[in-house]
Amino acid sequence: TQLLEQSPQFLSIQEGENLTVYCNSSSVFSSLQWYRQEPGEGPVLLVTVVTGGEVKKLKRLTFQFGDARKDSSLHITAAQPGDTGLYLCAGAVNSGYALNFGKGTSLLVTP
Amino acid sequence: SAVISQKPSRDICQRGTSLTIQCQVDSQVTMMFWYRQQPGQSLTLIATANQGSEATYESGFVIDKFPISRPNLTFSTLTVSNMSPEDSSIYLCSVSRGKNEQFFGPGTRLTVL
């Protein structure tokens, strides 16, 4: 059973477009993290959201944590080719350290 | 953050053999983890490497197949034993100093023939 469901699984857009990636679960998480992974590398932490309803901005990336702490979204404004990669959400259950990962959204931004 | 290195970065091995992967962190950390990422898949937690005691394994992973050592707070090893082609994967170590962040190494890409 996949604890975290991400959608869409694949996304191919042109430079300058906006996009939103979703991460949903029936479980409550003490925190949710978003990572970006490029081929041949390990995931790189983008942001951690902790409080229900929280919104965090990282340049052109906006992250939101659902009020019930069961879901999150990542919105990218004016996507650039450098945004290409696998975006993973991960949640810590029961205030523990170990993370459960979603299957990821593979994003391709073409010039 | 933390600077994490893994050795080897990649390897091609014959079935039935074993490979030990090393993970080195640039500073002491509380928690270290080992994950597997099969081709085209997401990350699956193998185990938590505990310093000074036996690792804590997730469902579906056993010590005989994936023995783990953690001799100190900056180093850990994962051994993939008696390998089969199904073990072909990327193996990643990660570290955590707090409950809301984990940092990953670059991964070890293993191919078993």
Side-chain angles (χ1 to χ4, degrees):
Chain A
T1 302
Q2 191 71 30
L3 213 54
L4 285 163
E5 299 288 343
Q6 284 189 244
S7 61
Q9 188 176 357
F10 300 100
L11 191 55
S12 180
I13 61 173
Q14 291 204 315
E15 183 175 4
E17 292 184 22
N18 301 332
L19 67 116
T20 302
V21 176
Y22 300 93
C23 176
N24 296 297
S25 176
S26 58
S27 301
V28 176
F29 290 92
S30 57
S31 67
L32 269 179
Q33 302 175 26
W34 285 93
Y35 293 82
R36 182 171 72 210
Q37 184 179 24
E38 298 186 33
E41 300 181 8
V44 175
L45 179 64
L46 296 174
V47 78
T48 300
V49 286
V50 178
T51 306
E54 181 178 6
V55 176
K56 281 191 174 180
K57 291 192 175 182
L58 187 66
K59 297 183 181 179
R60 294 177 293 101
L61 279 60
T62 301
F63 304 86
Q64 186 164 5
F65 200 12
D67 291 341
R69 305 205 320 275
K70 294 183 178 181
D71 56 85
S72 182
S73 64
L74 159 60
H75 182 78
I76 301 179
T77 303
Q80 299 177 0
D83 295 328
T84 293
L86 179 67
Y87 288 83
L88 296 156
C89 69
V93 182
N94 299 327
S95 300
Y97 286 85
L99 294 176
N100 293 285
F101 278 82
K103 288 190 175 181
T105 294
S106 182
L107 172 64
L108 174 64
V109 183
T110 54
Chain B
S1 64
V3 178
I4 306 165
S5 61
Q6 285 186 233
K7 288 182 181 179
S9 58
R10 58 178 62 230
D11 207 344
I12 300 173
C13 302
Q14 297 296 321
R15 69 171 68 208
T17 63
S18 298
L19 175 72
T20 296
I21 303 167
Q22 299 179 3
C23 178
Q24 179 75 53
V25 190
D26 66 338
S27 57
Q28 293 185 348
V29 291
T30 307
M31 310 290 287
M32 291 182 78
F33 306 91
W34 287 98
Y35 289 82
R36 181 174 73 184
Q37 187 174 27
Q38 294 178 303
Q41 301 294 316
S42 188
L43 282 73
T44 301
L45 180 64
I46 297 172
T48 302
N50 301 309
Q51 194 266 329
S53 63
E54 195 170 281
T56 305
Y57 289 84
E58 297 299 307
S59 176
F61 298 96
V62 295
I63 188 171
D64 290 346
K65 176 67 177 177
F66 297 101
I68 288 171
S69 78
R70 176 117 190 249
N72 56 54
L73 293 176
T74 63
F75 185 79
S76 178
T77 67
L78 168 74
T79 299
V80 186
S81 303
N82 188 25
M83 288 183 285
S84 67
E86 292 71 34
D87 294 320
S88 296
S89 187
I90 299 172
Y91 291 86
L92 296 141
C93 74
S94 73
V95 303
S96 176
R97 290 198 181 91
K99 289 185 177 180
N100 294 327
E101 60 180 22
Q102 278 193 30
F103 301 98
F104 286 81
T108 295
R109 183 178 295 271
L110 171 63
T111 301
V112 184
L113 302 177

